[in-house]
Each structure stands twice: as structure tokens, then as C-alpha cells.
Amino acid sequence: RGAKIEAEGAADAPIVFTPDNDTGVRGQWGGLIINGKSHLNKSGGVAQGEGNTGEYGGGESPDLEDNSGTLKYVRVEYAGRLLTTEDELNGIALQAVGSGTTIDYVQVHMNKDDGIEWFGGTVNVKHILVTGIADDSFDWTAGWTGKGQFMIAQQYADDGDRMIEADNSGSNNDALPRSNPTLSNLTLVGQGADGAGDTGILLREGTGVSISNSIVYNASGACLDIDQAATYANAYADGAFTGNLAIANSYVFGCSESFKSDEDSTAVDVAFTISDWYGQAEWANTEADPGLSLEAANEATPDFAPAADAAVLSGAVVPADDFFEDVDFVGAVGADDWTANWTRGR
């Protein structure tokens, strides 16, 4: 805590964290861990990182605007050492990192555990690509309340779990501050029935979230799932949806099923299903083909741009916040491909 990393590459010269012996195998080194002094919903506001990677969190007086430096035009490859079944290292672990930190144009490639995991904090991210992750592509827990825009997860056929696994706290589902990021313009691409992945987005353990202008496509499991009573209660109270758990202006398509069929809808006073929640008229969601190219799932040379006549090239409603770029397209990529040149495929 208190240190800064200043890793700023360029589109034609990204900074690459990779093993000396690039054999294309996941889990060759630990990954990149950044410890900050922002908030955390663990006891005392401080915790020890997995793999004994140091203390993080600002305690009783967190610095929400803490600055841990810059990651820009950066790739992290073949990391994710599994120390034990409960002690695992991610491609990038953002541990109570504050909003003064800049994370923009970052790829995590072929990680053994999660691609990027947020442990609390207030850090914001933009232009993020995670590819070939063996566990969850994006994962948050412990009170992350940051923002993200233009985020892609592409699973590979040989391994993977969820594209988003979203938690508040496993030990206390209602711990505060509650995880509640605001995310816009996501594209989550699975490998379909033949892939090793699972759910597109799993919201559980009391998390909140606002997701807009996003695509969940071709997940091997369900596109969307909600687990635990506290998550349902956060989404629905006093006979109405609260908006504390929300997806708007988004598409789900091509998954094994759009919505997990075993949802625990008895967890709230008035039962609702995930399809009820997703299908609210004012949220303007749809279950329809977003018009992505078949090459969106290509592991070697992916193309995440939609077809020229795709409906997702218009109609976005971006959150009213200066962090978010005011774009018209749904999904992470519009007519211009920001992943070109500096990222890599399998």
C-alpha cells in the first residue's frame, strides 16, 4: 500500500508481463497484484491478500481516491499460480485499489485462475480484454464500487468457468460497503455447448450491480443466474424491483439457456424469476441475436465487432457520469476496434 506502478505502453509497443519461457501454458507465474488503501467490507477494513501478497484496504479511514499508479497498454500472460484450492493468484488482483489509479487498455491472457479480480476498492477500468481464462474472466467481491466501460471476456474451448462471477461477501452477504459497480458496454463471448465454460453472468452473495449496453453471447451454461436470498432481496423489496441489481439495454443470446432454471425465487416476499427481472419493459433488454461475427469466438484471430447492419450499432443509453464515453453502440466494440495491434490471440 502506498506504492505506485507506472506501466504505460503504447498501441504499437505494449508492456508485456510474461514468462521468460513462453510455452503457451497457463499458471507459469503468480500474476500482478496491486494493494491499495480504498474501502473494503472485511473486518476492520483491512485484509491479507491471497498467496500472502500483503495487506490491503484503508482500515477505518479508507482513501477512496487512492492512487496506485497506471496500467495502460499492458498485457499480462500465462499467470495464475494455484497455491491451494482456496489460495489462488489471479492475472491481475486489484485489492482495495482506489479511483486515482488509471487502468486502461489492458489484456489478461491465458490465466490459470481468474482474469481480473476486484477485492473491494473504488478503481475504475476501461478498454479491458480477458482471453482464455481457466476460471472466471471477471470476478469481484468485498465491496467493489468502481466503474467499467468497454470490457470483453472471450472464453476458450479447453477451460473456463464463468465470464462474470459477482459477489458481495461470502461470510456476510449484506456486509457494507456492498459490492455495486457500474458497468457499460460489455461483450462476453463463450464457446457454446462444446466449450468448457459455465454461466455468462452469475450474481450472488448479496452483490449489487448496474450493467448496461452489454452482450452475453454463446455461454456454455446459462446467460444469466442469480443466487442467494440476499441477492434477490437486494433486487426486490416492498413489491417492486429496487434497481440495486440491474441490467438494461442489453442482449442475451446463444447460451444453453437464457436464464438459469433453478433460481431460488422463493427468497423474496413476492416470487420473481430471472426472466421477470431481465424482462422489465423499462430496461429495454432483449433475447435476440446481437449480430456478432462468428469470429468473435475465434481463439487465434477474434473479431468482436458486430456486422455492419447489426442492431447493436445503435441504441445505447450510457450512464450519466463523466467517466463513461457517450457512444451509441451496445457491446464493447463498435465500428472501430480498440483491441487491434496491441493484444494477442491464442
Side-chain angles (χ1 to χ4, degrees):
R1 290 177 295 179
K4 293 182 181 179
I5 182 170
E6 296 296 346
E8 185 166 352
D12 59 352
I15 294 171
V16 183
F17 294 79
T18 195
D20 285 340
N21 181 20
D22 183 353
T23 61
V25 177
R26 300 177 179 97
Q28 294 185 58
W29 61 289
L32 179 59
I33 297 97
I34 301 178
N35 295 327
K37 297 184 288 186
S38 189
H39 66 205
L40 193 67
N41 65 21
K42 294 181 179 290
S43 177
V46 176
Q48 175 65 231
E50 291 181 288
N52 196 30
T53 53
E55 283 194 337
Y56 63 94
E60 301 299 332
S61 300
D63 180 1
L64 304 187
E65 298 179 354
D66 185 37
N67 183 355
S68 292
T70 302
L71 299 178
K72 190 167 185 179
Y73 288 110
V74 164
R75 293 203 316 260
V76 176
E77 303 175 347
Y78 307 116
R81 188 64 55 81
L82 305 186
L83 304 174
T84 71
T85 56
E86 299 298 326
D87 207 5
E88 304 159 337
L89 299 179
N90 307 289
I92 301 178
L94 300 172
Q95 302 185 154
V97 176
S99 65
T101 309
T102 298
I103 299 179
D104 197 6
Y105 296 100
V106 171
Q107 180 183 14
V108 178
H109 179 65
M110 290 282 287
N111 201 71
K112 184 67 174 174
D113 193 47
D114 299 335
I116 299 178
E117 183 162 6
W118 292 260
F119 296 84
T122 45
V123 65
N124 307 318
V125 301
K126 195 174 280 189
H127 301 106
I128 306 297
L129 172 65
V130 294
T131 48
I133 306 304
D135 197 7
D136 305 315
S137 299
F138 297 119
D139 193 337
W140 67 75
T141 187
W144 180 44
T145 59
K147 305 163 193 171
Q149 188 177 25
F150 313 126
M151 300 168 65
I152 301 172
Q154 184 202 32
Q155 292 186 319
Y156 287 176
D158 68 315
D159 209 349
D161 197 356
R162 292 133 184 169
M163 288 185 273
I164 290 180
E165 181 178 278
D167 300 339
N168 183 45
S169 169
S171 58
N172 175 7
N173 288 178
D174 291 313
L176 298 176
R178 187 184 298 275
S179 296
N180 193 16
T182 303
L183 308 175
S184 182
N185 299 97
L186 279 60
T187 296
L188 309 178
V189 180
Q191 290 289 338
D194 295 331
D198 194 352
T199 311
I201 299 177
L202 172 61
L203 306 172
R204 66 179 195 178
E205 295 183 347
T207 193
V209 72
S210 174
I211 297 173
S212 57
N213 311 306
S214 297
I215 298 168
V216 184
Y217 178 69
N218 213 31
S220 300
C223 287
L224 297 174
D225 189 13
I226 300 174
D227 279 352
Q228 275 85 49
T231 321
Y232 277 87
N234 189 40
Y236 191 93
D238 300 324
F241 290 103
T242 63
N244 296 332
L245 195 76
I247 294 182
N249 290 6
S250 295
Y251 286 68
V252 296
F253 186 76
C255 307
S256 66
E257 54 185 339
S258 293
F259 314 109
K260 190 74 171 178
S261 59
D262 63 349
E263 62 263 28
D264 183 12
S265 58
T266 61
V268 291
D269 292 338
V270 178
F272 72 91
T273 66
I274 299 173
S275 58
D276 292 336
W277 170 78
Y278 179 81
Q280 298 172 78
E282 62 269 31
W283 286 0
N285 293 316
T286 186
E287 296 176 67
D289 188 345
L292 294 182
S293 164
L294 293 176
E295 296 305 303
N298 186 314
E299 297 178 9
T301 56
D303 180 1
F304 302 108
D309 59 350
V312 294
L313 286 173
S314 63
V317 180
V318 176
D321 183 295
D322 289 344
F323 170 80
F324 294 97
E325 296 179 26
D326 188 12
V327 298
D328 198 34
F329 58 86
V330 173
V333 176
D336 297 321
D337 184 5
W338 53 264
T339 70
N341 301 320
W342 64 276
T343 66
R344 64 169 299 170
R346 187 158 191 167

